[in-house]
Amino acid sequence: MRWKAPAAFGAVERVMDPIVEVFGTELPQTLAKYRVDLSFNPRFRDVLDEETIRLPLEFRYGLTDSTNLYTGIEPFIPNPINGGSDWGLSYARLGAKHQLTVNSDRVRLAVGLDGRYPLASPPYTPSDGYLRIEPYIAVERDLRWLDNGSVFLNVGYEVVEHVRGQVPDDWFVYNDDNLRITGGIIQYRGVWNPFFRAEYRFEIDDNPRQDSWFVEPGVLVDLPTRYTARLPGKWKVEAGLRYQVQDGDDKWRFNVRVRWRVTLRELGIEMGGKDRTSRP
């Protein structure tokens, strides 16, 4: 579904490339039909702290204008700085999101299902050995007091099942069903799109209960075409600085992700029926 700056903002109405998620937090908006989104999210902190370096990849596809499918894998490679030697795939991801029709120009709503399956066993790989399935609901509402700004909320319930391996006692892992609440604010400015998000997650039945939270300011950069060597589609960079507390221990993490958004037509692939991939 296309997002337009409401007339209440006092600005010229314009169609903007939708921001469908922020570092794994799904927003209600979806890719247009036949549109493709590829993302690469290297975990730079692993270079300093871990024996392996994780290199998550994700593929997202617009099945219709309101329904998206996505899948991903997390390869990992040895970290020569910390004496690592293992490589492989830690998990596979599969999910779907559907944007619902609401009777408001200022509110967007979606439901989705996200699943992760471990492909490797701990403790010698980044995998924690747990199958995780999370249904979620996402809502976003435009703000009157912030030009092209909106607030968002995503609530998910994660069902957890042990599949393989044994997690060391010093690993922080959610090994029981848990509830996640993520909220934030984002401003759609075109090239530079600042955001702030915060999350709290806690286990439902475990005793003692594990919980964690984080806050993260950041920016989503829509790179102008003059910087992308005339490659097809649009290139985006996401960057955020996260402060996280887990089980009483706090840490800082700098996140960077590169996204490539393109239509099937730009890739030379023709689909039957009416092509509605002209949306930016």
Side-chain angles (χ1 to χ4, degrees), residues 21-38:
E21 55 102 9
V22 179
F23 284 125
T25 298
E26 294 289 337
L27 304 182
Q29 298 190 78
T30 53
L31 296 180
K33 186 177 182 180
Y34 300 150
R35 202 158 179 81
V36 174
D37 188 296
L38 303 175

Side-chain angles (χ1 to χ4, degrees), residues 19-21 25-31 60-61 63-70 95-100 109-114 136 138 154:
I19 297 177
V20 298
E21 55 102 9
T25 298
E26 294 289 337
L27 304 182
Q29 298 190 78
T30 53
L31 296 180
R60 188 178 295 257
Y61 176 68
L63 185 64
T64 70
D65 281 344
S66 59
T67 301
N68 285 180
L69 304 177
Y70 54 89
K97 179 173 66 175
H98 178 71
Q99 185 173 5
L100 303 173
L109 179 67
V111 294
L113 183 66
D114 187 275
Y136 61 84
N154 184 306

Side-chain angles (χ1 to χ4, degrees), residues 101-177:
T101 301
V102 295
N103 189 26
S104 173
D105 292 334
R106 303 180 63 86
V107 177
R108 294 166 292 282
L109 179 67
V111 294
L113 183 66
D114 187 275
R116 295 171 182 261
Y117 186 84
L119 300 177
S121 299
Y124 303 109
T125 71
S127 170
D128 61 16
Y130 285 88
L131 168 67
R132 302 179 181 277
I133 299 176
E134 183 185 74
Y136 61 84
I137 183 170
V139 61
E140 185 177 16
R141 189 182 191 280
D142 299 329
L143 296 172
R144 295 182 181 275
W145 53 268
L146 181 63
D147 186 29
N148 285 359
S150 67
V151 292
F152 61 86
L153 179 69
N154 184 306
V155 179
Y157 184 87
E158 186 177 70
V159 179
V160 180
E161 183 71 29
H162 183 255
V163 175
R164 60 200 306 171
Q166 184 63 41
V167 177
D169 293 336
D170 59 347
W171 282 23
F172 183 88
V173 172
Y174 285 104
N175 53 19
D176 204 347
D177 296 356

